[in-house]
Amino acid sequence: MAKTSMKESFSLKNSEAFSGYSVDDIEAARKFYGETLGLDIEKGEMGVLTLKLKGGNNVLLYPKDDHKAATFTVLNFPVDNIDTAVAELSSLGIEFEQYPDLKTDEKGISRESGGPPIAWFKDPAGNIISVLEE
């Protein structure tokens, strides 16, 4: 069990943390995130990709031979207008997930889940990504 607080001389509070998840095909991920979604990408050692997101947030994508897609949302993109975002992404060939329990409409948008309007799609490795209206 974790102690209730860290030593005063050490803290993660000011660490520039980042998130990461695996993919099964790093080149497919590079094309999808860089070319299809238009994100800035930096290629690193050992085939690792870093998604350079607005605000200085980074997400590390790393190749994993026995990759298993996440069964939860790994990356969320806040957007001004969910309908516009879904239409634009759909025009790029992205298919949105249908979740009957979350009452997604024909476009894949959930508007009645108790939170903001949100829609989910998958990257080439099967990881779940969302766009949600702020």
Side-chain angles (χ1 to χ4, degrees):
M1 185 169 208
K3 293 183 180 182
T4 56
S5 65
M6 300 184 98
K7 295 178 185 177
E8 286 186 37
S9 62
F10 176 80
S11 173
L12 294 175
K13 184 167 105 175
N14 295 318
S15 175
E16 293 181 8
F18 61 92
S19 180
Y21 51 92
S22 69
V23 297
D24 56 357
D25 183 336
I26 205 75
E27 181 57 21
R30 186 198 63 73
K31 286 181 181 177
F32 179 76
Y33 287 97
E35 295 174 18
T36 303
L37 298 184
L39 301 177
D40 292 329
I41 295 177
E42 185 176 283
K43 191 165 185 176
E45 295 178 22
M46 300 179 354
V48 172
L49 299 177
T50 301
L51 306 180
K52 310 295 266 180
L53 305 175
K54 183 177 178 181
N57 299 320
N58 294 328
V59 175
L60 187 75
L61 302 181
Y62 55 93
K64 187 172 181 196
D65 291 335
D66 62 346
H67 165 77
K68 289 184 180 45
T71 58
F72 51 87
T73 308
V74 297
L75 187 57
N76 298 285
F77 288 98
V79 296
D80 292 332
N81 184 299
I82 191 80
D83 293 289
T84 300
V86 168
E88 289 291 326
L89 291 167
S90 294
S91 76
L92 297 172
I94 291 174
E95 295 181 18
F96 285 84
E97 299 298 301
Q98 293 291 326
Y99 296 118
D101 54 327
L102 296 175
K103 300 177 184 172
T104 49
D105 63 19
E106 67 282 347
K107 297 177 189 175
I109 302 170
S110 174
R111 300 174 195 275
E112 301 175 28
S113 63
I118 185 169
W120 297 270
F121 59 98
K122 293 181 178 177
D123 74 359
N127 294 309
I128 302 169
I129 301 168
S130 84
V131 287
L132 67 152
E133 190 171 290
E134 290 189 291

